[in-house]
Amino acid sequence: MDELFAAFVSALFEILGEVILQLILEFLVSLLARAGRKVISTSARQSRIFSGFLFAVFGASAGLVSVRIFPHPLVHPSRFHGISLLISPVITGLVMFATGRLEQKFGRKPTQIETFWIGFIFAFAIALVRFALVK
């Protein structure tokens, strides 16, 4: 029983570590997107496929940078190694969606990364790179 509980807690910490890293990187990208909103053309912002691809590339790049800074797992890997590959991007996407809603509530237009799908794609790219390169 104790072993099962330890495995559950370890998996939870693995997911939370990934979520925190992804959220920090996404909020930084969100700030950059707000600063550069006038630079990017309207047609480029409106293409969801192009945006998804662009944020996947940004996420993979952020993942590579994070591997360079943190070349080891953020927390001790659990028995369910890789579980955070899907769960943490979903949580991160939901947090970014909530952030976008909060921005709308205060009368500001949310950036693209402050939507569920773009936030998910960015976080999934980070998680995938970290999963592939960090052992």
Side-chain angles (χ1 to χ4, degrees), residues 97-131:
F97 174 75
T99 302
R101 290 292 181 155
L102 194 61
E103 291 291 329
Q104 286 178 333
K105 184 178 178 181
F106 288 109
R108 294 184 292 252
K109 185 176 180 189
T111 61
Q112 287 182 328
I113 201 165
E114 294 169 343
T115 63
F116 174 78
W117 286 110
I118 299 296
F120 173 85
I121 289 169
F122 185 84
F124 181 74
I126 293 171
L128 189 62
V129 168
R130 288 195 58 79
F131 180 77

